[in-house]
Amino acid sequence: MSEITSPNATRDTVILGSGCAGLTAAIYAARANLKPLVLEGHEPGGQLSITTLVENFPGWPEGVQGPELIENMKQQAIRFGAELKMAHLVSVDLGKHPYELNLGPGKDPIRTRTLVIASGASARWLGLPSEQALIGHGVSSCATCDGFFASGKQIAVIGGGDSAMEEALFLTRFATKVTLINRSERFRASRIMLDRAIAHPAIQFLSSTVVEEVLGVEDKEVRGLKLRDTISGERSELPVSFLFLGIGHVPNAKMFHGQLDLDPDGYILTHGNVFPSHNGQPVPGVFACGDIQDRRYRQAVTAAGTGCMAALEVEKFLEEHGR
Ligand code: NDP
């Protein structure tokens, strides 16, 4: 179907993002001979590429390492003719079809008849100036990437969901003591993950506690945390030398503000699973899948599911428009 003869030709489909949703869309679109181009984005491979064991992806009774799962998907997409490019979308005017994707200064724009938005979500930060100043100097949002640097140290993990539990458990391989700090009284994590963390002797819990400041900015290394108990109002200091954030994610949909309908947290609102809208009206040839449009399930398997749906809708759209 696709006739990409020169770099300036209009493509049938471009997929934004190379996580589970984007790569599944790429597999389906490639098998439909649409020669999809995948723009890998700021975080190639998405969240699976920085996770450890994935135990709930069907078909892997013993679990599978996230990076291995994503690499397999990539190879599967390439095998059927998908093209992957290390680039990300800077801007696009969704009011003008075919869409012209601006990839930044000095880079040729790409024209496409359909666009699959699978740009996912990125780690959320507390937003404290001291936290931001110490990123890379003892503050991290990726336990798998930076856990090793916590070897032999007392550390803290912020969050009360499954991500925080997973990070805390993983970090016990390196750290001597892990303090898990949750701003709420109740933990949002699933029972099984919470129980595993509670049972671990190296993990200590602090709930109803917020971090007011990360100490150590002058020394360019984390020295501790200034904490406040949200019930008693009491302030204290916790000496730790590494801080990991496990407080969820924010959707990567900034470039669609004003062009697509988003929910108050910035997730793309979709109808019939993968159809975005603008002022309630359909946007021709644009589909969204994965975490960018899913604040409820956020699972690898649901991302794959909507990635598949988006690619099938791409095929349908192109057929209906005479391709
Ligand atoms: P969640 O949204 O479930 O939890 C986020 C946590 O961060 C909450 O405890 C929340 O507190 C806290 N938080 C949010 N913002 C702040 C802030 N500014 N300051 C302090 N604390 C904050 O996100 P997760 O990433 O943990 O999980 C997302 C999804 O992924 C879930 O469905 C989860 O089940 C799944 N998952 C599954 C895993 C597995 O099965 N192995 C592993 C990891 C994730 P509060 O409750 O007060 O809002």
Side-chain angles (χ1 to χ4, degrees):
M1 194 179 262
S2 197
E3 296 147 21
I4 308 300
T5 47
S6 84
N8 298 327
T10 301
R11 291 196 168 252
D12 278 332
T13 193
V14 173
I15 298 166
L16 304 180
S18 53
C20 198
L23 291 176
T24 305
I27 292 166
Y28 274 77
R31 290 196 77 242
N33 204 20
L34 298 177
K35 298 192 171 43
L37 172 69
V38 179
L39 302 183
E40 293 197 64
H42 285 296
E43 296 169 32
Q47 291 175 50
L48 276 181
S49 65
I50 54 166
T51 193
T52 48
L53 192 63
V54 179
E55 290 182 304
N56 51 12
F57 201 86
W60 303 85
E62 305 301 325
V64 56
Q65 291 295 321
E68 185 190 343
L69 181 57
I70 215 75
E71 184 56 31
N72 287 351
M73 288 184 188
K74 206 166 154 177
Q75 293 311 324
Q76 200 173 346
I78 290 169
R79 185 182 143 217
F80 293 115
E83 190 187 331
L84 274 73
K85 190 177 167 76
M86 291 286 273
H88 64 271
L89 177 67
V90 172
S91 65
V92 60
D93 178 0
L94 294 182
K96 220 172 111 207
H97 190 265
Y99 303 114
E100 190 165 291
L101 311 178
N102 168 19
L103 306 187
K107 299 199 175 117
D108 288 335
I110 295 171
R111 279 159 62 89
T112 182
R113 294 179 184 89
T114 67
L115 185 63
V116 174
I117 306 170
S119 43
S122 300
R124 174 182 284 127
W125 300 93
L126 295 173
L128 299 169
S130 52
E131 167 208 53
Q132 295 298 302
L134 287 166
I135 293 174
H137 300 277
V139 173
S140 167
S141 66
C142 178
T144 2
C145 319
D146 298 325
F148 180 77
F149 301 114
S151 297
K153 295 178 175 165
Q154 298 199 6
I155 66 160
V157 173
I158 319 275
D162 281 340
S163 296
M165 300 305 139
E166 193 177 62
E167 282 194 10
L169 285 160
F170 174 74
L171 289 164
T172 57
R173 297 185 199 178
F174 309 100
T176 50
K177 185 175 152 193
V178 179
T179 304
L180 228 155
I181 303 170
N182 186 29
R183 68 176 174 186
S184 301
E185 203 175 344
R186 280 175 55 84
F187 286 86
R188 224 190 267 206
S190 57
R191 196 67 245 176
I192 184 168
M193 297 289 281
L194 186 57
D195 284 346
R196 275 187 208 166
I198 289 170
H200 202 290
I203 301 178
Q204 171 190 302
F205 288 80
L206 278 180
S207 48
S208 308
T209 303
V210 291
V211 177
E212 290 195 321
E213 193 186 337
V214 186
L215 304 169
V217 174
E218 323 71 48
D219 305 326
K220 282 204 157 54
E221 67 179 323
V222 173
R223 298 268 183 221
L225 303 176
K226 229 183 221 175
L227 303 176
R228 179 169 53 83
D229 185 311
T230 57
I231 297 170
S232 66
E234 208 173 287
R235 289 191 160 82
S236 60
E237 278 187 18
L238 180 74
V240 290
S241 33
F242 227 101
L243 172 66
F244 287 91
L245 280 298
I247 59 172
H249 293 83
V250 283
N252 296 317
K254 254 194 197 140
M255 68 284 253
F256 301 112
H257 279 233
Q259 301 207 72
L260 294 178
D261 298 331
L262 309 178
D263 80 1
D265 291 324
Y267 287 85
I268 294 176
L269 287 168
T270 47
H271 313 265
N273 294 304
V274 295
F275 297 95
S277 57
H278 182 221
N279 295 330
Q281 297 302 310
V283 187
V286 177
F287 309 96
C289 54
D291 283 9
I292 192 75
Q293 54 80 245
D294 171 19
R295 56 173 309 133
R296 188 175 175 87
Y297 302 105
R298 294 180 287 189
Q299 300 300 303
V301 69
T302 50
T306 52
C308 157
M309 291 178 210
L312 295 179
E313 294 301 341
V314 163
E315 254 188 280
K316 202 157 172 271
F317 176 88
L318 291 170
E319 261 171 37
E320 283 170 4
H321 289 77
R323 292 288 297 167

